[in-house]
């Protein structure tokens, strides 16, 4: 294998671009490989196939660099595609835009962690967020412009719903498909209401633990690590508590109903509003984004957030690192290659990292670098 990798790249003779999504999968493209080979095609040029937002038709809104897109197929499906290519002496080229990811919804773990922990998220530096903007209402917060109308109107219509995920031991506010996690340090605003309905010594202990979490504002690296470990432990204990004390779960559900309010009666939503006011994010109408946005987007698309690629710890994103090492993870050989778009958004540290990773045995692999637009 190593010897084969050092033979050098095979320059594409002719490429055929395929747009992979739930309507055209790995199995579908595998089925047309013999036909493409008969036309003289040497490389199949694939759209992004890492996990993207559900229903994505283009694949550029990646939410998880460590998984293939399940809507496109399984790892076995992918390997069968590669094997079929090899049997016809063909390769494939992957199209990637690694400088942004899909956000909003509920399926990007990095973004969910940022919404939950703000500046204290271990992924906060991955995104370009201005935590100290000119607008004082956004101090220490990230704008989340997903609402279909003014915040106050949406709140009083009862469209913002506080829920408890028993399997996670976590609270979150939902707006349709969008999940906004609650900062664990503010859980006592909910727990106090639960304790007023039922007593639990363990819940009292958990309340003290959540209050004691390191503050999310301007944290040190040590505080970020401490907070991450402590809040995970506390949430697991909350999961166990619900299993062992059913009365606590019943009280939680009752309290959540209290936060729901009565549509049209603004005062009944005061508790939910007060809870949202102390979160690391500010919910707003999508219309305010042009004036108040404080995170870097891909052009002006609110649900595509720019990545600070130089800050990413690749232990958290081996799939992303695989883009930069010739895709050995996905069985690429020198017949294969990458089309990396928006290379001009990378900075020198990443350029050096990429150069060090793609040298032998990958140094001669085909790597096409494209610059399409400017972020």
């Amino acid at each position: 294998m190593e010897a084969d990798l050092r033979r050098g790249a095979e320059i594409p003779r002719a490429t055929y671009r395929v747009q992979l999504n739930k309507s055209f999968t790995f199995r579908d493209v595998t089925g047309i490989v013999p036909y493409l080979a008969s036309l003289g095609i040497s490389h199949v040029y694939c759209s992004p196939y890492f996990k993207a937002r559900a229903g994505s038709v283009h694949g550029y809104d990646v939410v998880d660099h460590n998984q293939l897109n399940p809507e496109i197929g399984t790892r076995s499906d992918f390997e069968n595609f590669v094997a079929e290519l090899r049997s016809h002496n063909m390769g494939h080229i992957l199209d990637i835009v690694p400088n942004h990811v899909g956000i909003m919804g509920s399926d990007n773990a990095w973004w969910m962690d940022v919404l939950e922990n703000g500046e204290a998220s271990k992924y906060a530096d991955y995104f370009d967020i201005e935590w100290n903007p000119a607008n004082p209402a956004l101090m220490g917060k990230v704008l989340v412009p997903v609402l279909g109308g003014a915040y106050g109107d949406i709140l009083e219509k009862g469209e913002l719903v506080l829920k408890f995920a028993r399997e996670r031991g976590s609270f979150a506010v939902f707006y349709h498909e969008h999940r906004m996690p609650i900062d664990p340090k503010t859980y006592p605003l909910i727990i106090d209401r639960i304790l007023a309905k039922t007593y639990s010594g363990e819940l009292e202990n958990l309340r003290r633990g959540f209050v004691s979490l390191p503050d999310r504002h301007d944290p040190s690296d040590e505080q970020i690590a401490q907070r991450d470990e402590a809040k995970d432990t506390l949430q697991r204990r909350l999961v166990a508590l619900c299993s062992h004390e059913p009365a606590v779960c019943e009280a939680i559900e009752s309290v959540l109903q209290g936060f729901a309010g009565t549509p049209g009666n603004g005062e009944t939503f005061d508790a939910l509003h007060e809870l949202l006011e102390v979160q690391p994010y500010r919910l707003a109408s999508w219309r305010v984004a042009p004036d108040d946005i404080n995170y870097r987007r891909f052009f002006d698309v609110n649900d595509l957030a720019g990545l600070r690629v130089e800050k990413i710890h690749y232990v958290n994103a081996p799939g992303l690192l695989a883009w930069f090492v010739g895709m050995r993870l996905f069985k690429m050989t020198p017949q294969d290659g990458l089309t990396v778009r928006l290379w001009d958004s990378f900075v020198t540290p990443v350029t050096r990292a990429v150069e060090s990773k793609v040298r032998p045995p990958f140094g001669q692999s085909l790597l096409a670098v494209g610059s399409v637009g400017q972020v």
Side-chain angles (χ1 to χ4, degrees):
M1 179 65 171
E2 297 295 324
D4 289 341
L5 286 168
R6 291 190 175 91
R7 288 181 310 173
E10 177 181 317
I11 302 301
R13 179 175 62 253
T15 63
Y16 186 91
R17 175 64 152 73
V18 293
Q19 180 62 61
L20 298 170
N21 51 48
K22 64 181 181 181
S23 298
F24 193 78
T25 67
F26 287 135
R27 292 186 181 185
D28 294 316
V29 69
T30 300
I32 67 171
V33 167
Y35 172 68
L36 296 179
S38 72
L39 296 178
I41 301 298
S42 63
H43 289 74
V44 175
Y45 181 17
C46 296
S47 64
Y49 46 61
F50 283 99
K51 185 179 179 180
R53 295 286 299 276
S56 175
V57 296
H58 50 75
Y60 292 106
D61 47 354
V62 172
V63 296
D64 189 344
H65 301 101
N66 302 326
Q67 295 185 50
L68 291 171
N69 190 338
E71 293 185 349
I72 295 174
T74 64
R75 179 61 178 263
S76 177
D77 293 331
F78 177 83
E79 292 179 348
N80 290 337
F81 166 53
V82 172
E84 184 69 7
L85 289 171
R86 297 293 176 265
S87 71
H88 289 83
N89 196 32
M90 294 170 63
H92 79 286
I93 298 169
L94 174 62
D95 189 5
I96 63 171
V97 184
N99 80 327
H100 67 262
V101 290
I103 58 171
M104 308 306 177
S106 62
D107 42 14
N108 186 318
W110 295 355
W111 186 251
M112 289 296 101
D113 199 84
V114 169
L115 294 188
E116 183 180 44
N117 300 288
E119 296 171 79
S121 168
K122 57 187 176 183
Y123 304 116
D125 281 350
Y126 289 14
F127 299 93
D128 258 340
I129 300 173
E130 177 53 74
W131 295 104
N132 298 294
N135 184 349
L138 286 171
M139 191 67 63
K141 299 174 180 283
V142 60
L143 187 74
V144 181
V146 298
L147 304 182
Y151 165 76
D153 293 339
I154 297 298
L155 178 69
E156 293 188 14
K157 288 179 181 178
E159 294 183 30
L160 301 176
V161 182
L162 180 64
K163 297 182 180 181
F164 176 65
R166 182 170 176 174
E167 71 283 1
R168 293 175 175 169
S170 65
F171 294 92
V173 168
F174 283 80
Y175 175 67
H176 300 300
E177 75 274 20
H178 302 291
R179 176 176 177 264
M180 278 68 68
I182 296 299
D183 175 2
K185 193 173 176 66
T186 68
Y187 280 14
L189 293 176
I190 304 171
I191 292 175
D192 285 345
R193 292 169 177 265
I194 300 170
L195 288 170
K197 292 181 177 293
T198 185
Y199 176 76
S200 167
E202 172 65 351
L203 189 57
E204 288 271 15
N205 292 333
L206 289 175
R207 184 194 185 283
R208 286 191 287 270
F210 285 120
V211 168
S212 300
L213 288 174
D215 192 78
R216 66 175 188 258
H217 301 291
D218 195 25
S220 65
D221 290 343
E222 182 179 4
Q223 288 173 322
I224 290 174
Q226 289 175 347
R227 178 185 168 108
D228 185 62
E229 181 179 2
K231 65 103 176 172
D232 283 350
T233 298
L234 291 167
Q235 287 173 335
R236 286 196 297 270
R237 286 172 59 186
L238 188 52
V239 170
L241 175 61
C242 283
S243 297
H244 298 141
E245 298 186 33
V248 170
C249 269
E250 293 175 7
I252 289 175
E253 291 305 316
S254 176
V255 166
L256 294 182
Q257 288 299 316
F259 275 95
T262 302
N265 185 344
E267 292 183 356
T268 61
F269 292 96
D270 285 350
L272 182 56
H273 172 65
E274 291 169 5
L275 180 64
L276 287 170
E277 282 290 281
V278 294
Q279 298 311 308
Y281 49 82
R282 185 174 180 82
L283 294 175
S285 165
W286 62 271
R287 296 178 184 275
V288 310
D291 298 320
D292 292 339
I293 200 78
N294 66 331
Y295 63 89
R296 180 167 59 85
R297 300 168 293 176
F298 180 72
F299 294 96
D300 61 353
V301 183
N302 292 342
D303 58 2
L304 293 179
L307 288 178
R308 301 176 66 190
V309 187
E310 77 278 12
K311 293 289 187 178
I312 294 176
H313 301 295
Y314 289 104
V315 67
N316 295 325
L320 185 57
L321 178 59
W323 283 345
F324 297 140
V325 295
M327 294 299 292
R328 169 175 272 177
L329 178 62
F330 293 128
K331 299 184 181 296
M332 279 190 171
T333 74
Q335 290 176 299
D336 303 312
L338 306 173
T339 296
V340 185
R341 298 175 185 262
L342 292 162
W343 186 261
D344 49 335
S345 66
F346 292 158
V347 296
T348 301
V350 172
T351 303
R352 288 199 297 266
V354 173
E355 289 174 346
S356 68
K357 295 296 182 183
V358 300
R359 281 176 180 152
F362 301 108
Q364 297 180 15
S365 295
L366 175 65
L367 177 63
V369 175
S371 177
V372 183
Q374 175 69 45
V375 177

